[in-house]
């Protein structure tokens, strides 16, 4: 059986010759000055992941509400066996999407635990596809695979021209996959060169993937790893937290 414990209960479990109130105040002082070592926690969690490098890391965000309060968590996990194991995360101070600065801060936190050459790829959905974040990945020599919004503009690495990527994707028939024939530039004047794979899902719905330093033929299979962090977000303990309960009830 599992339960929760508060400081008053702990105080009663102290030395019998010491006043309970005195023990309670000492516990308060201890926890008031206690700083949790999240980097050590990250290393501990990484040791629990049942796989060795090269890792497939997945970046995503989940949000829920306690009453009117938004709980917005940006997370990087290691995908393995149908679920992602959380390694680094950041609780955002607001609801809604997160910008490139937050993605870059979380990336720095993650790289204190995992070296770039230990990564097969960082996989993410459309939100972290901003130019500044892609450049941060490129500068750190991190292979990545990121889904693009259909109105994202791409063009030759020279940056002389660009078109919405849906213009290329529309050449596909429904359920057909196509790899664009040459690397395309993402990121404006200082473009990050990417291979782009497109798949038409429905009449005006597309799956468009940009990969950097990953095997173009494996991009669709690699992107499926993103769903493993969604499986973690849907795990019973996380769902209980969303409902306001204890994760291990």
């Amino acid at each position: 059986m599992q339960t929760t414990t508060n400081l008053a209960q702990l105080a009663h479990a102290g030395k019998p010759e010491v006043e309970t109130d005195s023990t309670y105040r000492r516990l308060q002082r201890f926890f008031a000055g206690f700083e949790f070592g999240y980097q050590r926690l990250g290393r501990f969690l990484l040791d629990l992941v049942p796989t060795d490098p090269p890792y497939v890391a997945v970046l995503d965000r989940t949000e829920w509400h306690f009453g009117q309060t938004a709980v917005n968590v940006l997370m990087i996990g290691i995908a393995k066996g149908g679920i992602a194991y959380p390694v680094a995360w950041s609780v955002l101070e607001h609801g809604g999407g997160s910008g490139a600065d937050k993605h870059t801060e979380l990336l720095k936190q993650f790289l204190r635990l995992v070296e770039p050459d230990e990564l097969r790829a960082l996989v993410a959905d459309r939100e972290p596809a901003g130019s500044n974040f892609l450049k941060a990945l490129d500068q750190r020599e991190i292979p990545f695979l990121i889904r693009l919004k259909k109105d994202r503009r791409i063009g030759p690495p020279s940056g002389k021209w660009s078109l919405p990527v849906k213009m290329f994707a529309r050449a596909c028939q429904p359920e057909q996959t196509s790899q664009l024939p040459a690397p395309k530039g993402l990121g404006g004047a200082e473009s990050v060169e990417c291979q782009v794979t497109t798949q038409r899902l429905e009449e005006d719905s597309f799956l468009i993937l940009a990969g950097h330093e990953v095997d173009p033929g494996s991009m669709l299979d690699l992107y499926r790893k993103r769903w493993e962090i969604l499986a973690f977000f849907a795990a019973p303990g996380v769902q209980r937290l969303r409902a306001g309960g204890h994760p291990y009830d």
Side-chain angles (χ1 to χ4, degrees):
M1 183 178 67
Q2 294 171 329
T3 183
T4 58
T5 301
N6 60 36
L7 293 186
Q9 291 173 311
L10 288 175
H12 283 288
K15 296 180 179 180
E17 65 272 19
V18 179
E19 290 287 338
T20 300
D21 287 347
S22 176
T23 302
Y24 182 79
R25 288 191 295 273
R26 291 177 67 185
L27 287 170
Q28 281 185 314
R29 289 194 296 271
F30 171 79
F31 284 107
F34 180 79
E35 293 185 4
F36 197 89
Y38 284 100
Q39 187 168 342
R40 291 184 179 181
L41 174 60
R43 293 190 184 280
F44 170 74
L45 293 172
L46 187 62
D47 287 341
L48 296 180
V49 178
T51 188
D52 295 318
Y55 299 119
V56 176
V58 186
L59 168 64
D60 213 325
R61 183 176 61 84
T62 184
E63 182 177 350
W64 66 92
H65 288 78
F66 284 125
Q68 299 299 313
T69 302
V71 180
N72 201 357
V73 181
L74 188 64
M75 180 177 291
I76 298 178
I78 302 295
K80 177 62 179 178
I83 196 166
Y85 294 77
V87 173
W89 60 88
S90 174
V91 179
L92 305 180
E93 298 175 352
H94 54 78
S98 50
D101 57 336
K102 296 298 182 183
H103 297 136
T104 304
E105 287 176 15
L106 184 62
L107 179 66
K108 291 178 181 177
Q109 181 181 333
F110 178 69
L111 292 178
R112 296 189 188 106
L113 307 171
V114 177
E115 296 291 334
D117 61 6
E118 293 181 307
L119 290 172
R120 178 184 172 193
L122 176 75
V123 180
D125 202 33
R126 288 161 284 198
E127 187 173 300
S131 300
N132 289 340
F133 184 61
L134 298 187
K135 290 172 185 174
L137 294 174
D138 184 36
Q139 290 167 359
R140 291 167 173 81
E141 299 183 342
I142 296 174
F144 64 79
L145 179 69
I146 293 186
R147 186 176 182 180
L148 302 179
K149 296 179 180 179
K150 64 182 182 181
D151 58 353
R152 177 63 182 269
R153 300 183 72 90
I154 66 171
S158 64
K160 291 182 178 179
W161 57 266
S162 64
L163 291 171
V165 71
K166 65 183 177 182
M167 301 296 291
F168 301 92
R170 282 176 176 165
C172 295
Q173 297 299 316
E175 300 301 323
Q176 181 185 2
T177 300
S178 175
Q179 183 182 323
L180 301 192
K184 303 300 178 184
L186 285 79
E190 299 178 14
S191 292
V192 178
E193 291 190 19
C194 296
Q195 295 287 345
V196 177
T197 293
T198 66
Q199 184 180 65
R200 192 168 194 153
L201 305 177
E202 297 174 355
E203 182 60 29
D204 198 39
S205 178
F206 307 95
L207 174 63
I208 304 169
L209 303 176
H212 179 72
E213 298 297 330
V214 298
D215 175 18
S218 68
M219 288 170 64
L220 289 174
D221 287 338
L222 191 56
Y223 181 70
R224 292 188 181 98
K225 291 290 186 180
R226 177 191 165 251
W227 298 100
E228 299 191 14
I229 200 168
L230 301 183
F232 169 76
F233 292 153
V238 178
Q239 291 299 308
R240 290 192 186 101
L241 280 174
R242 289 185 174 192
H246 191 282
Y248 303 113
D249 287 345

